[in-house]
Amino acid sequence: MMDNNANTVEVAAEGRRRGYWREVWQYHELLLFLAWRDLKVRYKQTAIGVAWVILRPLITMVILTFVFQRVAGLGKNLDVPYQMLVIAGLLPWHFFSTVFAESANSLVANSQMISKVYFPRVLIPLSSSLAGAVDFMVTVLILVPFMIWFGVFPGLEILLFPLFLLLLILFTLSIGIGFAALNVRFRDVRFIVPFIVQIGLYVSPVGFSVYEIPEQWRVLYSLNPMVGIVEGFRWSLFGDSYPVPTFAVAVSVACTVLIMFASLHFFRKVERTFADEI
């Protein structure tokens, strides 16, 4: 509805349960615009622009390979070149860390728009995920020269790569939506998210394989949802050279489903109060 006195458009979020996702689809052009805006702002006034999409994982790969392979001596019993192992783990991790951090802060960062105009608020964290997906598709191209150089080529398992990509997107988006809603009410979240991302890099199998974990601790370690996602990515790329940890993948699927329903339920429950609290 139009508020003539304030010269702004204010429409209360009705929190309608029926037709919610149909309404989200009706705003798909706004979603695309927000994603394009996020991409444009991310690389604005940078010297090398989108080249950072390639450089970030490459630099991280060099550091992790030096630390875990050369210093810690890991990866000696693997059939996959260590650089390939690390780069295949970095791709899903970079997507998760970037999209999670940006989507968790997305509602607060767009407070001016939320307080003045009504639209489905979930579009904002969704746009962060969409922008991250564009970066991810560019980053995947790094794998091609690495595979040719090391002579590692995928088998039929590569057909399941899209399923692990979908699992990664759903998990990241679900946890991002939940933290975005929490961040509106509790600004402590903006301090917690960087801490989770920093610790997550070391407790997830990014710079090493899950098979480097002692067998008696492997089940407990696999309760981290990112373990199944990262190792599933590797298995789909390396095939027979890299066994798939089925328990870890099952945990990732179960956690994603649970977090997705819990986050969406919480987001829609508090969505109507965003304009007042933000």
Side-chain angles (χ1 to χ4, degrees), residues 43-256:
Y43 301 109
K44 187 179 181 181
Q45 295 184 329
T46 57
I48 57 176
V50 295
W52 281 113
V53 178
I54 304 294
L55 279 179
R56 284 179 59 204
L58 283 179
I59 294 171
T60 311
M61 181 206 69
V62 172
I63 295 172
L64 292 181
T65 300
F66 175 78
V67 172
F68 288 106
Q69 185 190 33
R70 298 299 175 89
V71 178
L74 300 181
K76 295 178 180 176
N77 299 320
L78 297 175
D79 295 329
V80 177
Y82 205 82
Q83 293 86 348
M84 286 293 305
L85 179 90
V86 174
I87 200 72
L90 276 171
L91 295 182
W93 176 257
H94 265 290
F95 176 85
F96 170 78
S97 60
T98 302
V99 172
F100 172 49
E102 293 188 357
S103 58
N105 192 49
S106 59
L107 292 175
V108 174
N110 289 277
S111 58
Q112 291 289 331
M113 187 165 57
I114 289 175
S115 61
K116 292 183 178 178
V117 182
Y118 173 72
F119 58 91
R121 310 310 193 198
V122 75
L123 287 177
I124 294 181
L126 277 176
S127 68
S128 298
S129 297
L130 189 57
V134 173
D135 278 354
F136 179 83
M137 297 311 294
V138 175
T139 312
V140 166
L141 297 178
I142 298 175
L143 282 171
V144 177
F146 272 86
M147 286 184 155
I148 295 174
W149 178 265
F150 289 107
V152 176
F153 300 102
L156 291 176
E157 294 83 358
I158 193 66
L159 296 176
L160 295 179
F161 183 86
L163 292 182
F164 287 106
L165 176 59
L166 178 63
L167 182 62
L168 170 67
I169 293 173
L170 290 178
F171 174 72
T172 307
L173 182 59
S174 300
I175 197 170
I177 286 175
F179 273 78
L182 282 172
N183 196 24
V184 173
R185 186 164 295 182
F186 307 103
R187 299 303 165 86
D188 311 73
V189 171
R190 64 179 174 175
F191 299 105
I192 296 173
V193 169
F195 180 74
I196 294 175
V197 171
Q198 188 176 15
I199 297 299
L201 175 64
Y202 298 103
V203 299
S204 300
V206 179
F208 53 90
S209 167
V210 69
Y211 300 105
E212 302 284 355
I213 303 296
E215 196 168 349
Q216 65 268 28
W217 296 106
R218 203 171 294 164
V219 171
L220 180 63
Y221 181 71
S222 298
L223 296 179
N224 174 358
M226 282 303 294
V227 173
I229 295 174
V230 171
E231 295 296 344
F233 261 83
R234 285 172 174 154
W235 173 74
S236 66
L237 291 171
F238 304 145
D240 292 337
S241 303
Y242 200 83
V244 58
T246 51
F247 176 75
V249 173
V251 169
S252 299
V253 173
C255 288
T256 299

